[in-house]
Amino acid sequence: MEFTVALAQIRPKLGCLSDNLAIIEASVTQAIESGADLVIFPELSLTGYFLKDLVPEVALRIDSPEIAKLRVLSRRISIAVGFVEESADYRFFNSAIYLEDGEIRHRHRKVYLPTYGLFDEQRYLACGDRFRAFDTRFGRFGMLVCEDMWHLSASYTLAMDGATTILCLSSSPGRGVASDDGLGSAQAWQRLTSTTAMFLSCRVLFCNRVGYEDGVNFWGGSEIVRPGGDSTVRAKLLEEELITARVDDGELRRERIFAPLLRDENLELTIRELRRIEEERRSAHV
Amino acid sequence: MTGLSINAALVRRILVGFLAEEVHKVGLKRAVLGLSGGIDSALVAYLAAEALGPENVQAIIMPYKQSNPESEAHARLVAEQLGIEHCVIGITPMVDAYFEMFPDADSMRRGNKMARERMTILFDHSAARGALVLGTSNKTELLLGYGTLYGDMASALNPIGDLYKTQIWQLSEEMGVPREVIDKKPSADLWAGQTDEQELGFTYKAVDELLYQMVDLRKSRSELLAAGFEAAFIDKIYAKVQNSHFKRRLPVIAKVSNRTIDRDFRYSRDWGK
């Protein structure tokens, strides 16, 4: 299977659902025109990031008209997009949905909500409770939101569940400007996406937003990373851009023949050891 | 010094983008700032001219009768080199009129009054021209509290508040700030011959290194001692940071309701922008 991916490195407006929906629709059109089969947006692309008390104001039910609009668009191109999801029991999640052929194929609720340094997500949001791979017309995918990716177990679980492509929707703040280096957070993320792709012999499609909120910049640098760990294409730093790249299965196949790491992975042993660790921790707390 | 040296070209990009976006997204295109002749306000003028276009930046030079004439000359040099609109508004009449009532006021009171007088002029021009006031306080002085609350510390946007003084020097080289402005001794220019380093009792280089390790790296007191800093210096600077923290916060509100501003009524400033 060969297909074209578009990464829409957009600049959402903080708390402006209708404006952001318009930005997303325009990018979808642009992606279709550039021949893409799949377009990926950043984390919270429908709302902006530092929402704080705006969370309940911008939250959408999964059956809302805004999401219905995106479902219609997904008849022409597959879409991964981020928003604040309101559940039936009035919890709010930092969610990403994957839409294809007019349907929601998968919903991922961000599991790891950072609440350190400049982050404050768990004050306002509820944690997701699962990592699940899912089938698409391009093969088996896994979807993560920003901080999830920094937990090895998240991408590991998706790969064990059969994902050969990992989508990561991000709103990553730019920081670290030491001499002779690029942007600190950009370098850290590039190491992370590359290493994840290598360890799990999978593709990583990383879409990060741009723009500023209250003086914090979001650095962009969205990229498509090959299963070998090098990046096929990388978007600009700090500027809006839509980039596309052709992706083919041959590469994935060759990588998995070259190094059959996943074939050889001993899942049963891993589970056994993790159980032991969990039991030891529990008995230590008695 | 390794931790303090910056990739100046990258910082320039971030700060120019910051000014352009934060001004434009509130529906404005102009900025106004006070040019003192010093390096901090010169650097902000350079960043603003690049971000907004020189035609959209207005500089106001606000000398007091005791200010060093060289300061005004340097401020003019910066404005002329950038091609930004500038004017001189002396603050002597208003400051002197006030202190006629309080002839015994010390130099600190006088200096604070001058800083706040300048602030009122900048905000008046902000309203008159639809221009945002740009702040020119650097990270060193913000952390030490070496500034006047609601005076030079007041602004709408501050592009350089996360840069230490030594980093201001580096970025100024990158931006092409005039050599004489970069090379001169930093001074609040409240009286003749005053220099910051003399008044503070330490050099920017020394205090920046300590602040960087104390604040950015979060090193403990024992780690700072092991790194070679004097105990008295560590304690003095720590106390300055602690005791000036009120200057970096909004006024304290007595809570009585369920939703108190900034306590449990929390929104980003860029709400809806």
Side-chain angles (χ1 to χ4, degrees):
Chain A
M1 177 85 199
E2 235 189 299
F3 60 101
T4 300
V5 181
L7 303 178
Q9 186 167 291
I10 60 167
R11 183 174 59 171
K13 287 172 73 173
L14 186 59
C16 306
L17 270 175
S18 57
D19 291 350
N20 294 331
L21 191 58
I23 291 170
I24 287 165
E25 286 172 320
S27 297
V28 165
T29 305
Q30 199 188 334
I32 292 169
E33 283 166 2
S34 63
D37 305 295
L38 159 65
V39 59
I40 303 170
F41 288 92
E43 170 184 21
L44 295 175
S45 30
L46 267 166
T47 61
Y49 182 72
F50 287 109
L51 292 162
K52 305 187 185 184
D53 283 353
L54 278 173
V55 161
E57 286 182 48
V58 298
L60 297 173
R61 296 288 182 102
I62 204 85
D63 59 359
S64 67
E66 289 88 349
I67 303 293
K69 217 168 182 179
L70 294 172
R71 282 176 52 176
V72 172
L73 287 174
S74 77
R75 294 198 186 117
R76 302 173 63 205
I77 184 171
S78 303
I79 302 169
V81 67
F83 70 110
V84 177
E85 181 203 354
E86 180 168 349
S87 61
D89 57 356
Y90 310 110
R91 287 179 301 154
F92 302 96
F93 296 92
N94 182 338
S95 289
I97 45 174
Y98 184 91
L99 307 116
E100 196 165 82
D101 301 327
E103 296 301 326
I104 297 171
R105 282 291 153 81
H106 187 73
R107 175 195 63 204
H108 173 66
R109 293 169 163 176
K110 187 175 185 177
V111 171
Y112 291 107
L113 301 176
T115 307
Y116 59 84
L118 76 169
F119 303 109
D120 214 4
E121 289 187 39
Q122 223 180 310
R123 241 190 94 79
Y124 306 98
L125 298 159
C127 298
D129 64 359
R130 64 197 61 179
F131 294 112
R132 301 279 163 85
F134 58 100
D135 290 314
T136 74
R137 55 190 180 117
F138 313 112
R140 200 155 166 80
F141 279 17
M143 202 157 53
L144 297 173
V145 177
C146 208
E147 185 84 0
D148 288 337
M149 188 96 184
W150 286 96
H151 293 260
L152 282 176
S153 51
S155 44
Y156 174 84
T157 303
L158 293 176
M160 289 296 101
D161 201 16
T164 52
T165 303
I166 292 177
L167 276 52
C168 182
L169 289 69
S170 277
S171 285
S172 168
R175 52 205 201 278
V177 290
S179 187
D180 309 325
D181 286 336
L183 192 63
S185 30
Q187 291 180 313
W189 268 98
Q190 282 158 18
R191 277 199 294 271
L192 176 69
T193 51
S194 168
T195 308
T196 302
M198 267 195 305
F199 275 149
L200 303 174
S201 312
C202 65
R203 303 180 192 105
V204 175
L205 313 179
F206 169 73
C207 186
N208 186 30
R209 67 164 287 187
V210 289
Y212 294 75
E213 288 180 4
D214 281 24
V216 176
N217 73 81
F218 298 94
W219 54 273
S222 304
E223 58 178 355
I224 291 170
V225 184
R226 291 196 177 103
D230 50 340
S231 106
T232 313
V233 59
R234 187 178 286 162
K236 292 184 189 115
L237 272 191
L238 304 164
E239 290 172 47
E240 288 167 287
E241 198 180 2
L242 184 129
I243 56 168
T244 57
R246 200 90 185 120
V247 171
D248 77 89
D249 281 349
E251 203 172 16
L252 198 58
R253 180 171 182 267
R254 286 191 301 276
E255 196 61 41
R256 292 193 173 202
I257 293 167
F258 170 72
L261 302 172
L262 288 168
R263 182 198 68 190
D264 299 346
E265 177 73 14
N266 190 333
L267 188 60
E268 193 274 326
L269 180 151
T270 306
I271 291 167
R272 194 167 3 104
E273 292 299 340
L274 288 174
R275 282 239 169 79
R276 173 187 60 77
I277 292 163
E278 188 190 29
E279 275 161 29
E280 284 173 7
R281 281 189 185 184
R282 204 180 304 140
S283 56
H285 283 128
V286 169
Chain B
M1 274 299 288
T2 46
L4 282 166
S5 67
I6 51 168
N7 178 335
L10 176 63
V11 174
R12 177 181 190 163
R13 266 189 82 183
I14 293 172
L15 301 185
V16 165
F18 161 78
L19 284 173
E21 184 164 329
E22 298 282 4
V23 169
H24 294 151
K25 79 178 163 195
V26 297
L28 299 173
K29 57 176 195 176
R30 300 177 58 81
V32 60
L33 78 155
L35 262 191
S36 68
I39 192 169
D40 298 323
S41 57
L43 176 60
V44 172
Y46 272 74
L47 289 164
E50 186 165 314
L52 308 170
E55 69 283 3
N56 291 315
V57 181
Q58 185 190 7
I60 305 181
I61 305 166
M62 295 169 283
Y64 181 66
K65 67 188 177 195
Q66 286 169 354
S67 302
N68 187 339
E70 193 189 54
S71 302
E72 189 181 325
H74 283 160
R76 283 178 188 278
L77 174 72
V78 165
E80 280 158 16
Q81 189 161 338
L82 285 171
I84 58 178
E85 185 191 327
H86 57 287
C87 61
V88 177
I89 302 174
I91 58 168
T92 308
M94 25 300 212
V95 172
D96 284 359
Y98 178 78
F99 284 112
E100 269 173 30
M101 292 187 274
F102 306 101
D104 300 337
D106 63 10
S107 61
M108 187 187 76
R109 278 178 66 187
R110 288 172 191 272
N112 282 339
K113 178 70 179 162
M114 289 171 208
R116 294 189 181 114
E117 209 59 59
R118 293 182 177 118
M119 178 277 292
T120 65
I121 292 167
L122 290 173
F123 277 89
D124 174 55
H125 280 75
S126 163
R129 308 289 295 272
L132 288 182
V133 175
L134 301 184
T136 59
S137 304
N138 62 57
K139 190 172 185 173
T140 310
E141 57 194 8
L142 286 173
L143 284 172
L144 296 175
Y146 191 58
T148 300
L149 186 59
Y150 309 123
D152 54 314
M153 289 175 83
S155 69
L157 300 174
N158 179 349
I160 63 166
D162 203 18
L163 292 174
Y164 289 109
K165 189 79 176 188
T166 42
Q167 298 171 326
I168 296 282
W169 281 316
Q170 294 172 58
L171 186 58
S172 297
E173 298 273 357
E174 158 79 18
M175 300 287 301
V177 171
R179 178 55 40 202
E180 45 272 71
V181 176
I182 295 178
D183 286 346
K184 71 176 177 184
K185 282 193 161 59
S187 165
D189 198 21
L190 298 174
W191 56 85
Q194 181 195 21
T195 74
D196 290 355
E197 293 182 338
Q198 216 171 14
E199 197 184 356
L200 289 164
F202 42 78
T203 66
Y204 275 116
K205 198 167 175 302
V207 80
D208 282 358
E209 191 55 52
L210 176 60
L211 285 170
Y212 175 74
Q213 297 200 31
M214 188 188 277
V215 174
D216 296 62
L217 302 184
R218 292 183 182 235
K219 282 194 182 173
S220 67
R221 189 172 182 277
S222 58
E223 287 172 316
L224 293 168
L225 285 169
F229 294 102
E230 297 283 336
F233 188 42
I234 297 170
D235 297 342
K236 174 179 168 177
I237 298 307
Y238 188 91
K240 271 188 185 287
V241 173
Q242 183 178 357
N243 296 329
S244 64
H245 196 61
F246 74 94
K247 292 188 177 185
R248 296 182 293 268
R249 306 286 305 174
L250 286 174
V252 184
I253 293 174
K255 183 175 178 67
V256 291
S257 79
N258 283 332
R259 277 192 97 191
T260 307
I261 291 158
D262 239 34
R263 174 76 56 189
D264 30 30
F265 176 85
R266 300 173 174 225
Y267 294 88
S268 288
R269 186 182 152 128
D270 285 346
W271 181 0
K273 300 287 186 291

